Amino acid sequence: MRVALTGFGIVCAVGRSVAEAWPRIVAGERGIGPVTLFDVSGQRSSIAAEVKGLALPPPHSREVSGGAPWSRTDAMALSAVREAMEQAGLDPKKHRVGLVVGGTTGGMYETEQLLARMHADPSQRVPNPEMLAHPLSATADRLSGAVGPFARARTVCSACSSGANAFAIGAAWLRLGVVDAVVVGGTDGLCRLTYTGFNALGAIDPEPARPFHAKRRGLTIGEGAGFAVLELPDAARRRGTTWDVELVGVGITSEAHHITNPSEDGALAARAIERALQSGGIDPGAVDYVNAHGTATPLNDAMESRAIERALGNGVARAYVSSTKAVMGHTLGAAGAIEAIVSALTIRDGRIPPTAGLGEVDPKCAQLRHVPAEGASADVRIALSNAFGFGGVDTVLALARRDVARDDGVTLRPVFVSGAGSASAAGALAGVDNTALLGDGARPAEDVLASLDPARARRLDRSARLGVVAAELAGASGDDGVIMGTSYGDADGSASFLAKLFEKGPRLAPPAEFPNLVPSSPTGHVSIYLGLHGPALAVADLSTSGEAAFATAYELIAAGIVGQSVTGSIEGPSEIAANCLAPAFRELEGINRGSDRSEGAAAVRLTHENAAVRVLDVVQANEPDEAIRAVSAPQGRAMVIVAEATDAVRSVLASSRWADAPIHDVVTAVGRHEGLGGFALAAATALLLKGEADRVLVVGPSHGRSYAIVLGRA
Amino acid sequence: MLVRELNLEGRDPESIVNDAPLFGEGLALDSLDALQLAMSVEEQYAVRIPEGAEGRVAFASVDALADWITTHRPAT
């Protein structure tokens, strides 16, 4: 692929712009010091790489994010997005500009005390405008209000590789031609939850992080944001924009090994590097620089060294490798994006940053060509940026200097649906049986989780368990990805963890609970349980999370970045979602729903190989009527499936080309929750597999985030 | 406590052999279990399990853990 990087923005501990941060990164100047944002007494460490001097913009009007105050996460994103768009000279009013945001904690820092109170006292679980800043998707909403409008926005989480996967999705959008340019990146503010969680895991070095060092003891937590503007070279040229660096390759794998630990042999990380090189048409011996994930945990750096050696072969002696986490700490959901930008800057300027404080190299990392303490000057034509996350999602971006970038010749390909599965109040359903999702809500007596092996499922929370059953019933296997919608992540689990932290102190914060709190944890668990080696990503989009996840999987497969994936939604039971978040967002989303809330997971399996059902249209628009207008006309026996056939949806459909198609919904059988789009897609697949329809339109109506998807018999 | 804290579902506590290894073989627990178990022991018995070699002694088996807790328990 050839995707031009026409603008960069960075916020991190060593600077709130590229101009400020880049020289300090190159000089190996550390931005690590005592934590000032919150009390860290009793923790195993007391340092972090904080962003200093961050000003929060004034709140938006009520129409944007309900007028809630800005979170630090969102404010950092705003600064970096603005910087990137200014450099690119991009005006979202003149061009179709998309936005893809990667992150893990969103507005956690601002809502932690409220969450802990909600855990302790059920009467606190009421719609509270403060919580509007909480979900990951809040960042995209605020950015749209501040620097948009964006033609479409998407929010992705794969723990510490989130920011890199935003680049992959943005590249797919450009290939599909759904945007003229796309702003991609990651953002993550420091919070007590992450700080305490990594401390409880014993993963933090009390001293500033020393990647690849023989005596390294773990990471330093950082915070920040990194965003870049991506455009196809022709479009950038037409706009008269200049650029030096292109994204040419992407490799994404899942280790399917362990929720916190990387597999020691580095085989899947090596495969991600190999795929990035292959898709960029790059010889492993031609790599000039690798910006390592380099967290400075004993396991990661040894594994990563092995993976780099495995993937580059003899090229390992030639390619410089460094970890800039020694300077800015581990910026988690932002890391994959900030470090991709750092890698691009090495190409632009021919300057390679050192691994600050390296000193004595671990023999297990000695095969790498480390950068001298003063940095290195080199003619960098090819750079790789590694980003690995909890749950084992390894994402590698390959960047090339403009004059050596080559196109891989991959053309868009059709996407098919090969299966469907669901686990909910309607039972555990496979394939054609998912037509029962359109039923009358008669409850089967079975235990939908009965098929799970209790020993292997012991670390899985209820969300992950539901997800495993749905994915397995949809036919997930081998190299499949797991790309699932999740509206709010695990708010209740986070609240419980935080309540323990505040009541009992950090030493009694339960380490085993922490890895389950990142929004992508259920998808990671599904991939581990079922041994799936494709990308495990969570997509957060409030009430259209299932549709957004499906669109993401479709786009990545159609663009040739991913081969196949199960996709849909996972929503576990949640008191906080039911009583606080869902009612708080109901008004903003324009969805008039009851306050009852059920649970469930649903998945369909998408593949580039021929199958009985084909994906015909996937449209994302701000309003449902726009989305429906853009899909193809009904043919043969046509049906419409929606989460809930409200009067509002019926009236939009009545004035569309699909007016004559019968409308079904899944709410009676499944109950209400934000993942019903996944169930609508599973039911649509079942109808088509059964031959009861020729075309099915699935509509996800939500103000600011609407989807219209047409499936047909292949 | 092992069964509850580590979600060893379907495991009957009586079936855990008291002198069999907890980690690697035997119950085949891992590093994340070790951290969770150390926290639970500290919460319930006010006894800290150190990291590193000393901790490995305490976590050798159920018997070894019981000995460690008895020896290090603060006087009441």
Side-chain angles (χ1 to χ4, degrees):
Chain A
M1 72 174 71
R2 290 193 62 179
V3 171
L5 278 65
T6 57
F8 306 117
I10 289 180
V11 174
C12 68
V14 293
R16 284 183 279 117
S17 67
V18 170
E20 190 187 353
W22 174 232
R24 299 180 66 187
I25 295 167
V26 167
E29 245 180 75
R30 287 172 180 270
I32 299 170
V35 175
T36 62
L37 279 171
F38 45 83
D39 177 25
V40 292
S41 52
Q43 303 265 11
R44 292 172 206 219
S45 69
S46 58
I47 55 169
E50 286 182 352
V51 171
K52 297 290 190 331
L54 182 73
L56 299 184
H60 284 301
S61 63
R62 266 190 76 72
E63 289 69 46
V64 182
S65 308
W70 283 71
S71 64
R72 299 183 82 252
T73 295
D74 295 355
M76 291 190 281
L78 176 63
S79 170
V81 166
R82 224 175 228 156
E83 183 184 11
M85 288 175 71
E86 270 167 26
Q87 187 197 333
L90 192 61
D91 181 354
K93 294 188 181 71
K94 288 194 191 143
H95 299 274
R96 291 178 307 157
V97 179
L99 173 69
V100 188
V101 179
T104 71
T105 59
M108 186 64 76
Y109 170 70
E110 288 75 10
T111 52
E112 284 174 322
Q113 273 144 351
L114 178 58
L115 279 170
R117 286 203 300 277
M118 283 197 266
H119 174 78
D121 177 4
S123 75
Q124 298 270 335
R125 294 174 206 152
V126 291
N128 184 329
E130 266 183 69
M131 286 298 284
L132 294 171
H134 180 80
L136 286 185
S137 54
T139 309
D141 290 345
R142 280 158 203 280
L143 291 173
S144 298
V147 287
F150 293 107
R152 43 160 53 200
R154 194 72 55 75
T155 303
V156 64
C157 176
S158 55
C160 302
S161 51
S162 303
N165 284 316
F167 279 66
I169 295 168
W173 287 4
L174 292 171
R175 277 203 158 177
L176 288 163
V178 294
V179 289
D180 302 320
V182 56
V183 184
V184 300
T187 185
D188 236 332
L190 193 62
C191 64
R192 301 161 187 88
L193 180 84
T194 330
Y195 196 84
T196 309
F198 280 107
N199 264 287
L201 289 175
I204 298 193
D205 196 327
E207 302 295 318
R210 293 163 287 183
F212 305 116
H213 195 285
K215 298 195 174 74
R216 69 185 180 280
R217 288 177 60 193
L219 43 95
T220 296
I221 301 273
E223 59 177 350
F227 281 86
V229 176
L230 308 184
E231 299 175 72
L232 293 181
D234 282 346
R237 208 171 287 123
R238 275 197 301 274
R239 283 201 318 111
T241 311
T242 60
W243 72 97
D244 305 296
V245 183
E246 296 183 16
L247 172 66
V248 294
V250 178
I252 317 173
T253 61
S254 287
E255 298 186 0
H257 171 67
H258 189 277
I259 196 67
T260 56
N261 300 347
S263 71
E264 288 189 26
D265 64 4
L268 270 300
R271 203 193 286 177
I273 298 173
E274 287 157 9
R275 287 211 179 133
L277 294 173
Q278 279 160 16
S279 62
I282 300 164
D283 184 282
V287 176
D288 299 299
Y289 173 61
V290 180
N291 186 289
H293 187 55
T295 54
T297 63
L299 283 176
N300 176 81
D301 294 4
M303 175 285 282
E304 188 172 12
S305 299
R306 213 164 286 138
I308 293 171
E309 182 180 23
R310 211 167 160 150
L312 299 192
N314 293 336
V316 76
R318 182 177 177 282
Y320 277 114
V321 178
S322 67
S323 167
T324 41
K325 287 187 174 77
V327 163
M328 65 179 82
H330 189 349
T331 57
L332 308 174
I338 297 178
E339 291 162 19
I341 293 168
V342 165
S343 305
L345 294 171
T346 65
I347 296 176
R348 187 191 73 180
D349 293 354
R351 289 288 301 153
I352 298 180
T355 301
L358 181 54
E360 184 190 350
V361 177
D362 181 353
K364 288 179 183 159
C365 309
Q367 71 272 54
L368 304 178
R369 185 183 187 191
H370 294 282
V371 181
E374 65 277 12
S377 290
D379 185 23
V380 183
R381 287 166 302 177
I382 303 286
L384 301 180
S385 182
N386 290 352
F388 307 149
F390 262 7
V393 187
D394 298 336
T395 303
V396 178
L397 302 176
L399 304 163
R401 203 170 67 193
R402 183 177 173 175
D403 59 328
V404 299
R406 265 182 269 155
D407 192 60
D408 57 4
V410 171
T411 48
L412 292 183
R413 49 192 191 179
V415 177
F416 298 88
V417 193
S418 71
S422 64
S424 71
L429 304 169
V432 293
D433 292 344
N434 283 287
T435 53
L437 297 171
L438 305 173
D440 57 6
R443 299 284 181 257
E446 62 171 325
D447 169 13
V448 293
L449 302 180
S451 61
L452 291 174
D453 171 2
R456 286 174 56 230
R458 72 188 174 97
R459 289 215 164 105
L460 278 61
D461 60 15
R462 190 155 174 96
S463 296
R465 289 171 191 225
L466 290 163
V468 167
V469 173
E472 191 163 34
L473 292 170
S477 67
D479 280 342
D480 284 12
V482 186
I483 301 177
M484 302 296 262
T486 175
S487 50
Y488 311 118
D490 189 358
D492 301 58
S494 301
S496 163
F497 184 91
L498 289 161
K500 285 175 192 159
L501 165 65
F502 293 138
E503 282 163 27
K504 301 176 181 173
R507 283 202 64 89
L508 298 180
E513 287 179 19
F514 173 62
N516 280 354
L517 303 180
V518 63
S520 57
S521 157
T523 56
H525 276 304
V526 171
S527 124
I528 294 164
Y529 187 98
L530 296 175
L532 308 177
H533 292 300
L537 313 177
V539 177
D541 219 357
L542 301 180
S543 292
T544 46
S545 292
E547 294 90 337
F550 179 96
T552 305
Y554 165 79
E555 290 150 2
L556 289 169
I557 295 169
I561 295 170
V562 169
Q564 59 279 323
S565 181
V566 287
T567 181
S569 61
I570 301 178
E571 292 293 338
S574 168
E575 288 292 318
I576 292 174
N579 299 303
C580 169
L581 287 160
F585 278 102
R586 204 171 285 142
E587 189 187 335
L588 281 175
E589 286 198 85
I591 294 176
N592 184 21
R593 281 199 183 143
S595 61
D596 52 324
R597 192 175 188 281
S598 65
E599 58 167 12
V604 296
R605 182 172 179 272
L606 298 185
T607 168
H608 71 279
E609 291 167 356
N610 282 333
V613 175
R614 186 171 164 181
V615 184
L616 298 172
D617 299 291
V618 179
V619 177
Q620 179 181 359
N622 282 321
E623 300 305 330
D625 56 333
E626 287 170 60
I628 295 167
R629 249 199 317 276
V631 299
S632 53
Q635 274 181 34
R637 292 160 301 158
M639 292 189 192
V640 177
I641 303 180
V642 293
E644 185 167 3
T646 58
D647 292 344
V649 177
R650 286 183 184 279
S651 105
V652 170
L653 283 161
S655 57
S656 79
R657 289 188 289 179
W658 287 74
D660 295 332
I663 303 172
H664 298 279
D665 65 16
V666 294
V667 70
T668 315
V670 181
R672 281 192 184 86
H673 59 70
E674 291 73 11
L676 291 184
F679 287 85
L681 289 157
T685 301
L687 281 179
L688 293 160
L689 287 172
K690 228 176 176 174
E692 290 182 1
D694 299 307
R695 290 275 197 278
V696 182
L697 166 66
V698 171
V699 181
S702 169
H703 177 60
R705 39 171 53 83
S706 291
Y707 290 84
I709 295 162
V710 179
L711 307 182
R713 287 166 62 78
Chain B
M1 185 174 85
L2 276 173
V3 170
R4 188 186 64 237
E5 290 296 325
L6 306 180
N7 294 323
L8 300 174
E9 289 175 32
R11 254 341 262 252
D12 175 3
E14 299 299 321
S15 75
I16 297 173
V17 181
N18 285 350
D19 59 357
L22 292 176
F23 293 87
E25 41 188 322
L27 266 188
L29 303 180
D30 65 16
S31 58
L32 187 54
D33 294 313
L35 291 161
Q36 181 67 26
L37 200 51
M39 189 223 83
S40 307
V41 167
E42 183 169 340
E43 183 170 26
Q44 201 161 333
Y45 302 104
V47 171
R48 281 194 187 190
I49 311 280
E51 286 163 30
E54 267 189 290
R56 278 197 284 280
V57 172
F59 277 152
S61 64
V62 173
D63 283 341
L65 183 58
D67 283 348
W68 182 276
I69 293 170
T70 316
T71 314
H72 294 84
R73 209 165 175 180
T76 46

